[in-house]
PDB file of all heavy atoms in Angstrom:
ATOM      1  N   LYS A  12      40.530  36.175 -33.449  1.00  0.00           N
ATOM      2  CA  LYS A  12      39.186  35.787 -33.004  1.00  0.00           C
ATOM      3  C   LYS A  12      38.793  34.459 -33.625  1.00  0.00           C
ATOM      4  O   LYS A  12      38.259  33.579 -32.962  1.00  0.00           O
ATOM      5  CB  LYS A  12      38.184  36.892 -33.390  1.00  0.00           C
ATOM      6  CG  LYS A  12      38.076  37.951 -32.320  1.00  0.00           C
ATOM      7  CD  LYS A  12      37.079  39.029 -32.753  1.00  0.00           C
ATOM      8  CE  LYS A  12      37.403  40.309 -32.013  1.00  0.00           C
ATOM      9  NZ  LYS A  12      37.112  41.494 -32.854  1.00  0.00           N
ATOM     10  N   ASN A  13      39.022  34.381 -34.952  1.00  0.00           N
ATOM     11  CA  ASN A  13      38.676  33.112 -35.642  1.00  0.00           C
ATOM     12  C   ASN A  13      39.379  31.927 -35.004  1.00  0.00           C
ATOM     13  O   ASN A  13      38.789  30.886 -34.764  1.00  0.00           O
ATOM     14  CB  ASN A  13      39.080  33.182 -37.104  1.00  0.00           C
ATOM     15  CG  ASN A  13      38.129  34.080 -37.866  1.00  0.00           C
ATOM     16  OD1 ASN A  13      37.038  34.340 -37.370  1.00  0.00           O
ATOM     17  ND2 ASN A  13      38.553  34.558 -39.037  1.00  0.00           N
ATOM     18  N   TYR A  14      40.642  32.162 -34.710  1.00  0.00           N
ATOM     19  CA  TYR A  14      41.421  31.074 -34.137  1.00  0.00           C
ATOM     20  C   TYR A  14      40.825  30.633 -32.789  1.00  0.00           C
ATOM     21  O   TYR A  14      40.650  29.460 -32.518  1.00  0.00           O
ATOM     22  CB  TYR A  14      42.865  31.554 -33.962  1.00  0.00           C
ATOM     23  CG  TYR A  14      43.704  30.515 -33.296  1.00  0.00           C
ATOM     24  CD1 TYR A  14      44.225  29.437 -34.034  1.00  0.00           C
ATOM     25  CD2 TYR A  14      43.983  30.559 -31.916  1.00  0.00           C
ATOM     26  CE1 TYR A  14      44.990  28.468 -33.412  1.00  0.00           C
ATOM     27  CE2 TYR A  14      44.724  29.597 -31.308  1.00  0.00           C
ATOM     28  CZ  TYR A  14      45.251  28.554 -32.046  1.00  0.00           C
ATOM     29  OH  TYR A  14      46.001  27.584 -31.441  1.00  0.00           O
ATOM     30  N   ARG A  15      40.478  31.727 -31.957  1.00  0.00           N
ATOM     31  CA  ARG A  15      39.917  31.408 -30.631  1.00  0.00           C
ATOM     32  C   ARG A  15      38.637  30.594 -30.750  1.00  0.00           C
ATOM     33  O   ARG A  15      38.361  29.678 -30.021  1.00  0.00           O
ATOM     34  CB  ARG A  15      39.619  32.713 -29.867  1.00  0.00           C
ATOM     35  CG  ARG A  15      40.870  33.306 -29.293  1.00  0.00           C
ATOM     36  CD  ARG A  15      40.505  34.246 -28.131  1.00  0.00           C
ATOM     37  NE  ARG A  15      41.671  35.010 -27.789  1.00  0.00           N
ATOM     38  CZ  ARG A  15      41.799  36.309 -28.033  1.00  0.00           C
ATOM     39  NH1 ARG A  15      40.813  36.992 -28.595  1.00  0.00           N
ATOM     40  NH2 ARG A  15      42.875  36.948 -27.696  1.00  0.00           N
ATOM     41  N   HIS A  16      37.820  31.043 -31.797  1.00  0.00           N
ATOM     42  CA  HIS A  16      36.545  30.384 -32.023  1.00  0.00           C
ATOM     43  C   HIS A  16      36.774  28.890 -32.334  1.00  0.00           C
ATOM     44  O   HIS A  16      36.138  28.018 -31.727  1.00  0.00           O
ATOM     45  CB  HIS A  16      35.865  31.090 -33.190  1.00  0.00           C
ATOM     46  CG  HIS A  16      34.445  30.638 -33.388  1.00  0.00           C
ATOM     47  ND1 HIS A  16      33.485  30.841 -32.428  1.00  0.00           N
ATOM     48  CD2 HIS A  16      33.860  29.983 -34.429  1.00  0.00           C
ATOM     49  CE1 HIS A  16      32.349  30.326 -32.877  1.00  0.00           C
ATOM     50  NE2 HIS A  16      32.553  29.805 -34.073  1.00  0.00           N
ATOM     51  N   ILE A  17      37.677  28.667 -33.249  1.00  0.00           N
ATOM     52  CA  ILE A  17      37.947  27.274 -33.655  1.00  0.00           C
ATOM     53  C   ILE A  17      38.501  26.491 -32.478  1.00  0.00           C
ATOM     54  O   ILE A  17      38.103  25.355 -32.199  1.00  0.00           O
ATOM     55  CB  ILE A  17      38.962  27.241 -34.845  1.00  0.00           C
ATOM     56  CG1 ILE A  17      38.286  27.863 -36.065  1.00  0.00           C
ATOM     57  CG2 ILE A  17      39.398  25.822 -35.155  1.00  0.00           C
ATOM     58  CD1 ILE A  17      39.243  28.223 -37.172  1.00  0.00           C
ATOM     59  N   PHE A  18      39.353  27.167 -31.732  1.00  0.00           N
ATOM     60  CA  PHE A  18      40.003  26.532 -30.568  1.00  0.00           C
ATOM     61  C   PHE A  18      38.930  26.128 -29.517  1.00  0.00           C
ATOM     62  O   PHE A  18      38.933  25.032 -28.993  1.00  0.00           O
ATOM     63  CB  PHE A  18      41.002  27.503 -29.962  1.00  0.00           C
ATOM     64  CG  PHE A  18      41.842  26.888 -28.905  1.00  0.00           C
ATOM     65  CD1 PHE A  18      42.743  25.864 -29.215  1.00  0.00           C
ATOM     66  CD2 PHE A  18      41.759  27.331 -27.596  1.00  0.00           C
ATOM     67  CE1 PHE A  18      43.525  25.289 -28.203  1.00  0.00           C
ATOM     68  CE2 PHE A  18      42.547  26.759 -26.601  1.00  0.00           C
ATOM     69  CZ  PHE A  18      43.431  25.747 -26.920  1.00  0.00           C
ATOM     70  N   ALA A  19      37.983  27.126 -29.308  1.00  0.00           N
ATOM     71  CA  ALA A  19      36.925  26.837 -28.313  1.00  0.00           C
ATOM     72  C   ALA A  19      36.068  25.668 -28.797  1.00  0.00           C
ATOM     73  O   ALA A  19      35.697  24.816 -27.984  1.00  0.00           O
ATOM     74  CB  ALA A  19      36.050  28.080 -28.159  1.00  0.00           C
ATOM     75  N   LEU A  20      35.785  25.677 -30.116  1.00  0.00           N
ATOM     76  CA  LEU A  20      34.969  24.596 -30.655  1.00  0.00           C
ATOM     77  C   LEU A  20      35.652  23.235 -30.432  1.00  0.00           C
ATOM     78  O   LEU A  20      35.062  22.250 -30.004  1.00  0.00           O
ATOM     79  CB  LEU A  20      34.749  24.775 -32.164  1.00  0.00           C
ATOM     80  CG  LEU A  20      33.486  25.528 -32.533  1.00  0.00           C
ATOM     81  CD1 LEU A  20      33.467  25.767 -34.057  1.00  0.00           C
ATOM     82  CD2 LEU A  20      32.260  24.715 -32.143  1.00  0.00           C
ATOM     83  N   ALA A  21      36.960  23.265 -30.730  1.00  0.00           N
ATOM     84  CA  ALA A  21      37.742  22.015 -30.603  1.00  0.00           C
ATOM     85  C   ALA A  21      37.738  21.549 -29.143  1.00  0.00           C
ATOM     86  O   ALA A  21      37.532  20.366 -28.873  1.00  0.00           O
ATOM     87  CB  ALA A  21      39.171  22.244 -31.081  1.00  0.00           C
ATOM     88  N   LEU A  22      37.904  22.529 -28.243  1.00  0.00           N
ATOM     89  CA  LEU A  22      37.929  22.163 -26.812  1.00  0.00           C
ATOM     90  C   LEU A  22      36.592  21.556 -26.379  1.00  0.00           C
ATOM     91  O   LEU A  22      36.544  20.549 -25.684  1.00  0.00           O
ATOM     92  CB  LEU A  22      38.168  23.427 -25.969  1.00  0.00           C
ATOM     93  CG  LEU A  22      39.602  23.730 -25.662  1.00  0.00           C
ATOM     94  CD1 LEU A  22      39.668  24.922 -24.705  1.00  0.00           C
ATOM     95  CD2 LEU A  22      40.308  22.527 -24.994  1.00  0.00           C
ATOM     96  N   ALA A  23      35.494  22.229 -26.863  1.00  0.00           N
ATOM     97  CA  ALA A  23      34.162  21.742 -26.499  1.00  0.00           C
ATOM     98  C   ALA A  23      33.977  20.317 -27.009  1.00  0.00           C
ATOM     99  O   ALA A  23      33.421  19.447 -26.330  1.00  0.00           O
ATOM    100  CB  ALA A  23      33.076  22.650 -27.101  1.00  0.00           C
ATOM    101  N   LEU A  24      34.458  20.114 -28.223  1.00  0.00           N
ATOM    102  CA  LEU A  24      34.329  18.797 -28.835  1.00  0.00           C
ATOM    103  C   LEU A  24      35.091  17.751 -28.023  1.00  0.00           C
ATOM    104  O   LEU A  24      34.560  16.683 -27.674  1.00  0.00           O
ATOM    105  CB  LEU A  24      34.917  18.871 -30.256  1.00  0.00           C
ATOM    106  CG  LEU A  24      34.429  17.806 -31.226  1.00  0.00           C
ATOM    107  CD1 LEU A  24      32.948  17.994 -31.492  1.00  0.00           C
ATOM    108  CD2 LEU A  24      35.198  17.913 -32.536  1.00  0.00           C
ATOM    109  N   ILE A  25      36.320  18.143 -27.680  1.00  0.00           N
ATOM    110  CA  ILE A  25      37.132  17.183 -26.897  1.00  0.00           C
ATOM    111  C   ILE A  25      36.478  16.920 -25.543  1.00  0.00           C
ATOM    112  O   ILE A  25      36.336  15.783 -25.103  1.00  0.00           O
ATOM    113  CB  ILE A  25      38.571  17.751 -26.685  1.00  0.00           C
ATOM    114  CG1 ILE A  25      39.289  17.776 -28.051  1.00  0.00           C
ATOM    115  CG2 ILE A  25      39.356  16.900 -25.698  1.00  0.00           C
ATOM    116  CD1 ILE A  25      40.530  18.620 -28.071  1.00  0.00           C
ATOM    117  N   ALA A  26      35.998  18.039 -24.928  1.00  0.00           N
ATOM    118  CA  ALA A  26      35.359  17.883 -23.597  1.00  0.00           C
ATOM    119  C   ALA A  26      34.142  16.977 -23.726  1.00  0.00           C
ATOM    120  O   ALA A  26      33.915  16.081 -22.930  1.00  0.00           O
ATOM    121  CB  ALA A  26      34.941  19.233 -23.069  1.00  0.00           C
ATOM    122  N   GLY A  27      33.376  17.234 -24.833  1.00  0.00           N
ATOM    123  CA  GLY A  27      32.168  16.420 -25.050  1.00  0.00           C
ATOM    124  C   GLY A  27      32.519  14.970 -25.194  1.00  0.00           C
ATOM    125  O   GLY A  27      31.913  14.109 -24.560  1.00  0.00           O
ATOM    126  N   ILE A  28      33.576  14.709 -25.960  1.00  0.00           N
ATOM    127  CA  ILE A  28      33.969  13.311 -26.191  1.00  0.00           C
ATOM    128  C   ILE A  28      34.373  12.674 -24.872  1.00  0.00           C
ATOM    129  O   ILE A  28      33.910  11.617 -24.497  1.00  0.00           O
ATOM    130  CB  ILE A  28      35.124  13.238 -27.220  1.00  0.00           C
ATOM    131  CG1 ILE A  28      34.603  13.592 -28.602  1.00  0.00           C
ATOM    132  CG2 ILE A  28      35.764  11.862 -27.228  1.00  0.00           C
ATOM    133  CD1 ILE A  28      35.656  13.856 -29.624  1.00  0.00           C
TER     134      ILE A  28
END
Side-chain angles (χ1 to χ4, degrees):
K12 271 179 204 147
N13 286 341
Y14 177 80
R15 282 202 193 109
H16 189 63
I17 293 164
F18 188 65
L20 267 175
L22 268 186
L24 202 66
I25 292 164
I28 289 167

